[in-house]
mmCIF file of all heavy atoms in Angstrom:
data_model
loop_
_atom_site.group_PDB
_atom_site.id
_atom_site.type_symbol
_atom_site.label_atom_id
_atom_site.label_comp_id
_atom_site.label_asym_id
_atom_site.label_seq_id
_atom_site.Cartn_x
_atom_site.Cartn_y
_atom_site.Cartn_z
ATOM 1 N N LEU B 100 1.000 54.971 -10.164
ATOM 2 C CA LEU B 100 1.943 55.627 -11.030
ATOM 3 C C LEU B 100 1.732 55.357 -12.580
ATOM 4 O O LEU B 100 2.012 56.238 -13.265
ATOM 5 C CB LEU B 100 3.374 55.134 -10.535
ATOM 6 C CG LEU B 100 3.904 55.687 -9.235
ATOM 7 C CD1 LEU B 100 5.153 55.097 -8.855
ATOM 8 C CD2 LEU B 100 3.968 57.148 -9.253
ATOM 9 N N VAL B 101 1.284 54.203 -12.847
ATOM 10 C CA VAL B 101 1.145 53.932 -14.212
ATOM 11 C C VAL B 101 -0.033 54.853 -14.861
ATOM 12 O O VAL B 101 0.100 55.419 -15.841
ATOM 13 C CB VAL B 101 0.736 52.431 -14.295
ATOM 14 C CG1 VAL B 101 0.159 52.120 -15.786
ATOM 15 C CG2 VAL B 101 1.804 51.635 -14.123
ATOM 16 N N PHE B 102 -1.158 55.008 -14.009
ATOM 17 C CA PHE B 102 -2.189 55.845 -14.416
ATOM 18 C C PHE B 102 -1.621 57.346 -14.583
ATOM 19 O O PHE B 102 -2.044 58.030 -15.521
ATOM 20 C CB PHE B 102 -3.301 55.928 -13.457
ATOM 21 C CG PHE B 102 -4.003 54.671 -13.142
ATOM 22 C CD1 PHE B 102 -4.670 54.427 -11.897
ATOM 23 C CD2 PHE B 102 -4.265 53.766 -14.197
ATOM 24 C CE1 PHE B 102 -5.370 53.098 -11.709
ATOM 25 C CE2 PHE B 102 -4.836 52.605 -13.971
ATOM 26 C CZ PHE B 102 -5.481 52.372 -12.773
ATOM 27 N N LEU B 103 -0.812 57.654 -13.681
ATOM 28 C CA LEU B 103 -0.249 59.111 -13.648
ATOM 29 C C LEU B 103 0.758 59.330 -14.838
ATOM 30 O O LEU B 103 0.731 60.459 -15.230
ATOM 31 C CB LEU B 103 0.512 59.248 -12.318
ATOM 32 C CG LEU B 103 0.841 60.707 -11.951
ATOM 33 C CD1 LEU B 103 -0.429 61.468 -11.764
ATOM 34 C CD2 LEU B 103 1.624 60.662 -10.719
ATOM 35 N N ASN B 104 1.312 58.232 -15.299
ATOM 36 C CA ASN B 104 2.434 58.506 -16.417
ATOM 37 C C ASN B 104 2.067 58.060 -17.731
ATOM 38 O O ASN B 104 2.884 58.400 -18.669
ATOM 39 C CB ASN B 104 3.661 57.901 -15.719
ATOM 40 C CG ASN B 104 4.212 58.722 -14.529
ATOM 41 O OD1 ASN B 104 4.550 59.788 -14.703
ATOM 42 N ND2 ASN B 104 4.386 58.041 -13.419
ATOM 43 N N LEU B 105 1.215 57.229 -17.890
ATOM 44 C CA LEU B 105 0.817 56.864 -19.209
ATOM 45 C C LEU B 105 0.216 57.820 -20.013
ATOM 46 O O LEU B 105 -0.446 58.814 -19.548
ATOM 47 C CB LEU B 105 -0.061 55.613 -19.262
ATOM 48 C CG LEU B 105 0.625 54.230 -18.921
ATOM 49 C CD1 LEU B 105 -0.431 52.984 -19.201
ATOM 50 C CD2 LEU B 105 1.917 53.969 -19.804
ATOM 51 N N GLU B 106 0.512 57.892 -21.326
ATOM 52 C CA GLU B 106 -0.057 58.874 -22.135
ATOM 53 C C GLU B 106 -1.527 58.630 -22.443
ATOM 54 O O GLU B 106 -2.408 59.397 -22.291
ATOM 55 C CB GLU B 106 0.747 58.980 -23.501
ATOM 56 C CG GLU B 106 0.416 60.173 -24.250
ATOM 57 C CD GLU B 106 1.596 60.324 -25.340
ATOM 58 O OE1 GLU B 106 2.756 60.054 -25.051
ATOM 59 O OE2 GLU B 106 1.140 60.918 -26.417
ATOM 60 N N ILE B 107 -1.862 57.213 -22.560
ATOM 61 C CA ILE B 107 -3.194 56.793 -22.727
ATOM 62 C C ILE B 107 -4.136 57.103 -21.832
ATOM 63 O O ILE B 107 -5.423 57.332 -22.073
ATOM 64 C CB ILE B 107 -3.030 55.309 -23.444
ATOM 65 C CG1 ILE B 107 -4.434 54.958 -23.869
ATOM 66 C CG2 ILE B 107 -2.856 54.429 -22.191
ATOM 67 C CD1 ILE B 107 -4.419 53.617 -24.612
ATOM 68 N N THR B 108 -3.683 57.193 -20.577
ATOM 69 C CA THR B 108 -4.682 57.500 -19.376
ATOM 70 C C THR B 108 -4.611 58.933 -19.011
ATOM 71 O O THR B 108 -5.406 59.260 -18.152
ATOM 72 C CB THR B 108 -4.133 56.671 -18.193
ATOM 73 O OG1 THR B 108 -2.766 57.215 -17.771
ATOM 74 C CG2 THR B 108 -4.068 55.325 -18.322
ATOM 75 N N GLY B 109 -4.000 59.784 -19.862
ATOM 76 C CA GLY B 109 -4.173 61.172 -19.763
ATOM 77 C C GLY B 109 -3.290 61.704 -18.511
ATOM 78 O O GLY B 109 -3.558 62.800 -18.184
ATOM 79 N N GLY B 110 -2.472 60.879 -18.129
ATOM 80 C CA GLY B 110 -1.466 61.422 -16.932
ATOM 81 C C GLY B 110 -2.299 61.987 -15.827
ATOM 82 O O GLY B 110 -3.354 61.591 -15.410
ATOM 83 N N ALA B 111 -1.848 63.102 -15.226
ATOM 84 C CA ALA B 111 -2.363 63.720 -14.119
ATOM 85 C C ALA B 111 -3.644 64.260 -14.349
ATOM 86 O O ALA B 111 -4.588 64.429 -13.537
ATOM 87 C CB ALA B 111 -1.412 64.633 -13.460
ATOM 88 N N ASP B 112 -3.840 64.800 -15.696
ATOM 89 C CA ASP B 112 -5.264 65.356 -15.993
ATOM 90 C C ASP B 112 -6.342 64.406 -16.035
ATOM 91 O O ASP B 112 -7.460 64.616 -15.887
ATOM 92 C CB ASP B 112 -5.166 65.929 -17.394
ATOM 93 C CG ASP B 112 -4.118 66.995 -17.488
ATOM 94 O OD1 ASP B 112 -3.759 67.704 -16.379
ATOM 95 O OD2 ASP B 112 -3.495 67.306 -18.500
ATOM 96 N N GLY B 113 -6.012 63.116 -16.201
ATOM 97 C CA GLY B 113 -7.014 62.086 -16.120
ATOM 98 C C GLY B 113 -7.668 61.903 -17.497
ATOM 99 O O GLY B 113 -7.212 62.402 -18.568
ATOM 100 N N LEU B 114 -8.748 61.222 -17.523
ATOM 101 C CA LEU B 114 -9.470 60.859 -18.643
ATOM 102 C C LEU B 114 -10.687 61.584 -18.707
ATOM 103 O O LEU B 114 -11.433 61.579 -17.808
ATOM 104 C CB LEU B 114 -9.829 59.292 -18.735
ATOM 105 C CG LEU B 114 -9.711 58.486 -19.834
ATOM 106 C CD1 LEU B 114 -8.484 58.566 -20.687
ATOM 107 C CD2 LEU B 114 -10.053 57.058 -19.548
ATOM 108 N N VAL B 115 -10.792 62.522 -19.819
ATOM 109 C CA VAL B 115 -12.016 63.268 -19.993
ATOM 110 C C VAL B 115 -12.995 62.866 -21.019
ATOM 111 O O VAL B 115 -12.456 62.135 -21.809
ATOM 112 C CB VAL B 115 -11.637 64.816 -20.207
ATOM 113 C CG1 VAL B 115 -12.346 65.679 -19.349
ATOM 114 C CG2 VAL B 115 -10.098 64.989 -20.072
ATOM 115 N N GLY B 116 -14.183 63.178 -20.833
ATOM 116 C CA GLY B 116 -15.192 62.803 -21.793
ATOM 117 C C GLY B 116 -15.625 61.384 -22.038
ATOM 118 O O GLY B 116 -15.700 60.789 -23.136
ATOM 119 N N ILE B 117 -15.572 60.730 -20.815
ATOM 120 C CA ILE B 117 -16.086 59.349 -20.991
ATOM 121 C C ILE B 117 -17.440 59.200 -21.337
ATOM 122 O O ILE B 117 -18.334 59.954 -20.600
ATOM 123 C CB ILE B 117 -15.713 58.643 -19.513
ATOM 124 C CG1 ILE B 117 -14.240 58.651 -19.350
ATOM 125 C CG2 ILE B 117 -16.176 57.224 -19.639
ATOM 126 C CD1 ILE B 117 -13.901 58.170 -17.818
ATOM 127 N N PRO B 118 -17.782 58.450 -22.284
ATOM 128 C CA PRO B 118 -19.353 58.533 -22.582
ATOM 129 C C PRO B 118 -20.095 57.899 -21.509
ATOM 130 O O PRO B 118 -19.699 57.060 -20.757
ATOM 131 C CB PRO B 118 -19.385 57.578 -23.890
ATOM 132 C CG PRO B 118 -17.909 57.354 -24.370
ATOM 133 C CD PRO B 118 -16.998 57.614 -23.097
#
Side-chain angles (χ1 to χ4, degrees):
Chain B
L100 288 174
V101 169
F102 293 152
L103 196 60
N104 290 300
L105 280 189
E106 203 162 319
I107 190 170
T108 58
D112 297 336
L114 214 53
V115 224
I117 300 170

